[in-house]
Amino acid sequence: MDKQTVTIYDVAREAQVSMATVSRVVNGNTNVKPSTRAKVLEVIKRLDYRPNAVARGLASKKTTTVGVLLPDITNNFFNSLALGIDDIASMYKYNIILDNADNKKESQVLSNILAKQVDGVIYMGHQLSDSVREEINRTNTPFVLAGLNDTKNEIPSVNIDYTQAFYEVVIGLLEQGYQHIGFLAAKPYFTNNTDRYNGYVKALEEAGKSVDQDLLFETADSRFKNGEEIASHIKDSKADALVVVGDELAVKVTNFMVDNGVKVPEEFAIVTSNNTALTEIVRPSLTSIEPPLYDIGAVSMRILTKLMHKEEDVENHVTLPHKFVLRDSTKH
Amino acid sequence: MDKQTVTIYDVAREAQVSMATVSRVVNGNTNVKPSTRAKVLEVIKRLDYRPNAVARGLASKKTTTVGVLLPDITNNFFNSLALGIDDIASMYKYNIILDNADNKKESQVLSNILAKQVDGVIYMGHQLSDSVREEINRTNTPFVLAGLNDTKNEIPSVNIDYTQAFYEVVIGLLEQGYQHIGFLAAKPYFTNNTDRYNGYVKALEEAGKSVDQDLLFETADSRFKNGEEIASHIKDSKADALVVVGDELAVKVTNFMVDNGVKVPEEFAIVTSNNTALTEIVRPSLTSIEPPLYDIGAVSMRILTKLMHKEEDVENHVTLPHKFVLRDSTKH
DNA sequence: CTGTTAGCGCCTTCAA
DNA sequence: TTGAAGGCGCTAACAG
């Protein structure tokens, strides 16, 4: 009738031991005589006993559950991170409470997840709002930001060097002879995009060029659907190369260019930022920065486990190395 | 120091009422004098009290948490369903414990999730193994299969009519004059693929054609990466049209054809099955069956809420209508 | 090596 | 409308 029918008491009675002993064998405590352990295990199996994790959580103050917040589970950037998180989580026997915080009041979602007594939280998103930061500071539950820099450097985070990556991309484009390199990203620039923009600027300045406002393109949302109009603007501009934040956006621009007779990469080069599967699907395929998405998630979770186990000297701000994948949207 | 510092006792003391009263206002029980309710609420706010969901779960035997199992969170088919599930879940105030069951022993994962006392479970996957079915039957926790038919019709599920959809696709291709229509799917055929295959066969038979073994193509895995070799086989076969299970696979075949000079759709037509974003990214864009992925997830979760609330007469096997999106990979 | 005994924080009768 | 009291199932000292 109920979810849980057989309890630790039932096992204890049936095995003719105390519940403490049953608890010990369930928790792998070694101070149990092998013969009684065997007896208990037999009864557990026979009765199909399954320890109630909720009761366990209440008594031990540990739930072996971590909260994971992300803006959009269908976004390849975020779900790639999530995969890494999930793998490491299950390796360490943690469950994940997933919250697609898109459109919901994040601090509300966070409060709710904290009420569930998660042992830790991984936060993914475009930026860290003040209300969320406040929640984080108010609780003792460990937090890690995955793929998002903390502008105040208070909260542990795992990232690549977005500035450096974009700097390198632009330098490369310059070397290939492109003259008017545009920058396309969603506005307003959130944390990571500010970093990327800085890398773009730095490269231009080193090359003795100044930033041309006419080469700064923006969209309100980096999702695929919103790329059509901006692509048209870009085509009509003097840009002969473009670095893009968001593969979906980059794909949209690429298709628009090709569909409208622009030769890529001869007349127009495109470099994108996340190296998701889309980059290999478009024609021409897209040259891209290759951030180790899975690893960012995995490392974030690994750090969280250390934090949850109260280990000392946990690395707080990890910068993972990135690579580049040269494909057909650039000359090289 | 601890996760949870302020408890219901603290609030009771501070508000000078009993904890029972605090519990009542927290749970929206109406039998509380407005003035004392106000007082309690004030204290709750002032103390930043947050009810401990674990304790609540233990006492009430409800966790307002549901388990969601899927094989791969980076797969667009599954994460689209997950988005629908998540939206409805948060609408009904449920949290989701997400388990990427890929490569792990599913029944183990399931047992683990059941130990967390979830109020219900949504299962997604390619098939329902016997061990999982056994687990499901052994527990009283409600289950719903999302995007997966139960071959034994025991467990509630939400799907489209895969057989009918493929039947219609093949009929359409036949009408357009294609003579040798191939069928490409991962082998062995799991539940849904068997349905799809049946639709393919049914259409051919109605047209007086028999199934040609040389037109049955297979891969071990429907993911994008494994499509190269099979695409080459298909190109060398007599097929002049192809229905594909899995958009990633379809994209791979399309790119291979185009890259190798085959004219799509003039010489070769392709129809895919899930209408994920990829279909609009390839050139030519892909004609596709349009299953309401988000809705399948949403309806599954809606049904699960009814089951969890022990409502009567809950619809058990829902078949949602599908559509078709005609794009450039077919003549029409 | 094993049992006894308090709680963990909250819900929920049952009385008042 | 409110309070007292007994669990929910398990962990974790503390004895023995």
Side-chain angles (χ1 to χ4, degrees):
Chain A
M1 168 71 232
D2 271 326
K3 284 179 200 170
Q4 180 77 28
T5 34
V6 18
T7 76
I8 199 172
Y9 285 105
D10 301 320
V11 176
R13 186 177 349 98
E14 195 77 4
Q16 303 181 51
V17 296
S18 75
M19 54 170 301
T21 299
V22 177
S23 178
R24 288 193 187 92
V25 349
V26 166
N27 292 296
N29 187 314
T30 49
N31 293 118
V32 182
K33 200 204 303 178
S35 68
T36 85
R37 168 186 304 280
K39 184 171 55 178
V40 170
L41 284 175
E42 183 273 320
V43 173
I44 285 179
K45 182 165 226 168
R46 181 151 54 79
L47 264 44
D48 194 24
Y49 168 67
R50 181 188 290 151
N52 181 325
V54 173
R56 217 202 277 233
L58 183 59
S60 70
K61 293 177 166 301
K62 289 195 188 66
T63 56
T64 60
T65 301
V66 302
V68 173
L69 297 184
L70 41 61
D72 182 3
I73 196 178
T74 65
N75 179 306
N76 278 320
F77 178 80
F78 293 115
N79 63 37
S80 295
L81 298 188
L83 186 61
I85 292 170
D86 189 275
D87 277 0
I88 305 302
S90 66
M91 182 177 301
Y92 284 88
K93 310 289 186 200
Y94 282 93
N95 279 106
I96 283 176
I97 291 191
L98 203 287
D99 247 301
N100 210 314
D102 196 27
N103 297 327
K104 301 180 231 166
K105 312 115 295 196
E106 285 186 323
S107 58
Q108 179 64 44
V109 168
L110 190 49
S111 175
N112 175 27
I113 225 171
L114 254 16
K116 299 264 177 173
Q117 311 303 115
V118 293
D119 297 336
V121 178
I122 291 189
Y123 182 93
M124 293 178 267
H126 302 292
Q127 64 176 344
L128 198 63
S129 71
D130 290 341
S131 64
V132 169
R133 181 187 294 278
E134 214 175 281
E135 273 299 356
I136 294 178
N137 287 332
R138 196 155 51 195
T139 177
N140 294 300
T141 308
F143 266 74
V144 175
L145 308 182
L148 174 64
N149 270 308
D150 176 10
T151 50
K152 298 192 180 174
N153 253 18
E154 298 170 341
I155 305 163
S157 63
V158 180
N159 293 277
I160 63 166
D161 186 335
Y162 305 104
T163 299
Q164 178 66 15
F166 266 61
Y167 167 81
E168 290 167 4
V169 164
V170 174
I171 290 293
L173 251 13
L174 253 16
E175 285 173 353
Q176 288 162 35
Y178 293 102
Q179 297 293 323
H180 306 290
I181 302 172
F183 178 81
L184 171 59
K187 270 264 190 173
Y189 292 164
F190 292 133
T191 314
N192 294 356
N193 281 359
T194 299
D195 291 347
R196 294 182 177 109
Y197 175 72
N198 290 339
Y200 167 79
V201 171
K202 183 182 167 201
L204 289 184
E205 289 180 344
E206 273 196 21
K209 289 171 171 282
S210 57
V211 175
D212 183 341
Q213 291 299 320
D214 293 343
L215 291 175
L216 263 24
F217 306 100
E218 56 187 74
T219 85
D221 174 345
S222 69
R223 299 309 307 278
F224 182 71
K225 32 190 174 285
N226 302 71
E228 190 87 353
E229 327 81 58
I230 192 67
S232 165
H233 277 285
I234 296 171
K235 179 174 177 297
D236 295 339
S237 76
K238 62 185 169 198
D240 60 359
L242 186 72
V243 290
V244 188
V245 176
D247 295 352
E248 295 181 312
L249 237 194
V251 162
K252 190 75 177 184
V253 172
T254 305
N255 274 339
F256 186 90
M257 293 296 174
V258 172
D259 291 350
N260 286 278
V262 176
K263 289 205 176 70
V264 178
E266 295 79 3
E267 305 172 356
F268 192 84
I270 299 173
V271 179
T272 185
S273 58
N274 296 332
N275 196 43
T276 56
L278 302 186
T279 57
E280 299 198 308
I281 289 173
V282 234
R283 289 297 178 270
S285 57
L286 298 180
T287 287
S288 179
I289 294 167
E290 182 186 1
L293 299 181
Y294 178 94
D295 292 344
I296 291 176
V299 171
S300 299
M301 186 64 210
R302 182 64 188 97
I303 289 178
L304 189 63
T305 63
K306 292 184 182 176
L307 258 17
M308 294 186 296
H309 297 157
K310 301 194 191 307
E311 290 184 21
E312 309 280 321
D313 305 320
V314 179
E315 42 313 25
N316 262 321
H317 301 286
V318 176
T319 300
L320 260 24
H322 58 269
K323 298 181 189 167
F324 296 94
V325 182
L326 302 180
R327 296 204 183 84
D328 301 335
S329 65
T330 52
K331 294 183 281 196
H332 48 260
Chain B
M1 167 74 230
D2 269 329
K3 284 180 201 169
Q4 180 78 29
T5 35
V6 18
T7 76
I8 199 171
Y9 284 106
D10 301 319
V11 176
R13 185 176 351 95
E14 195 77 5
Q16 303 180 53
V17 296
S18 75
M19 54 168 300
T21 298
V22 177
S23 176
R24 287 193 187 93
V25 349
V26 166
N27 291 296
N29 187 313
T30 50
N31 292 120
V32 182
K33 201 201 305 178
S35 67
T36 86
R37 170 187 303 280
K39 184 171 55 178
V40 170
L41 285 175
E42 182 273 322
V43 174
I44 287 180
K45 183 166 226 169
R46 180 152 54 78
L47 265 45
D48 195 24
Y49 168 66
R50 182 188 289 151
N52 181 323
V54 172
R56 218 203 276 237
L58 182 59
S60 70
K61 293 178 166 300
K62 288 194 189 65
T63 55
T64 59
T65 300
V66 304
V68 173
L69 298 183
L70 41 61
D72 181 3
I73 196 178
T74 64
N75 179 306
N76 279 319
F77 178 81
F78 293 116
N79 63 38
S80 295
L81 297 189
L83 185 60
I85 292 170
D86 190 274
D87 277 359
I88 304 303
S90 66
M91 182 177 302
Y92 284 88
K93 313 287 186 199
Y94 281 93
N95 280 106
I96 284 176
I97 292 190
L98 204 285
D99 246 302
N100 210 316
D102 196 29
N103 296 328
K104 301 180 231 166
K105 313 114 289 182
E106 285 186 322
S107 57
Q108 179 65 42
V109 168
L110 191 49
S111 175
N112 176 26
I113 224 172
L114 255 14
K116 299 263 178 174
Q117 310 304 115
V118 293
D119 297 335
V121 178
I122 291 189
Y123 181 93
M124 292 178 269
H126 302 292
Q127 65 176 343
L128 198 63
S129 71
D130 288 342
S131 63
V132 170
R133 180 187 295 279
E134 215 175 281
E135 244 353 314
I136 294 178
N137 288 331
R138 196 156 48 196
T139 176
N140 295 300
T141 307
F143 265 75
V144 175
L145 308 181
L148 175 64
N149 272 307
D150 176 10
T151 50
K152 296 190 180 172
N153 253 20
E154 297 170 341
I155 305 163
S157 63
V158 180
N159 292 278
I160 64 165
D161 186 335
Y162 306 104
T163 299
Q164 179 66 17
F166 266 62
Y167 167 80
E168 290 166 4
V169 164
V170 174
I171 290 293
L173 252 14
L174 253 14
E175 284 173 354
Q176 288 161 34
Y178 293 102
Q179 297 292 322
H180 306 289
I181 302 172
F183 177 82
L184 170 60
K187 269 268 191 175
Y189 292 164
F190 292 132
T191 315
N192 294 356
N193 281 359
T194 299
D195 291 346
R196 295 183 177 108
Y197 176 72
N198 289 339
Y200 166 80
V201 171
K202 184 182 167 204
L204 289 184
E205 289 180 344
E206 273 195 22
K209 289 169 170 281
S210 58
V211 176
D212 184 339
Q213 292 299 321
D214 292 343
L215 292 175
L216 264 23
F217 306 100
E218 57 187 73
T219 85
D221 175 346
S222 68
R223 298 309 306 279
F224 182 71
K225 32 191 175 282
N226 302 73
E228 190 88 352
E229 327 80 60
I230 191 66
S232 163
H233 277 285
I234 294 171
K235 179 173 177 300
D236 296 340
S237 76
K238 62 185 167 196
D240 59 359
L242 185 72
V243 290
V244 187
V245 176
D247 294 352
E248 295 181 311
L249 237 194
V251 162
K252 190 75 176 181
V253 172
T254 304
N255 274 338
F256 186 90
M257 292 297 174
V258 172
D259 291 350
N260 286 279
V262 176
K263 289 204 176 67
V264 177
E266 295 78 4
E267 303 172 358
F268 192 83
I270 299 173
V271 179
T272 186
S273 57
N274 295 333
N275 195 45
T276 56
L278 302 187
T279 56
E280 300 198 307
I281 289 174
V282 234
R283 290 294 178 270
S285 57
L286 297 180
T287 288
S288 179
I289 294 168
E290 183 186 1
L293 299 181
Y294 178 94
D295 293 343
I296 290 175
V299 171
S300 299
M301 186 63 209
R302 183 63 188 98
I303 290 177
L304 188 62
T305 64
K306 293 184 183 177
L307 257 19
M308 293 187 296
H309 297 156
K310 300 194 190 308
E311 291 183 22
E312 309 280 321
D313 306 320
V314 180
E315 47 300 38
N316 262 320
H317 301 287
V318 176
T319 300
L320 260 25
H322 58 270
K323 298 181 190 168
F324 296 94
V325 182
L326 302 180
R327 296 202 184 83
D328 302 335
S329 65
T330 53
K331 293 182 282 196
H332 47 261

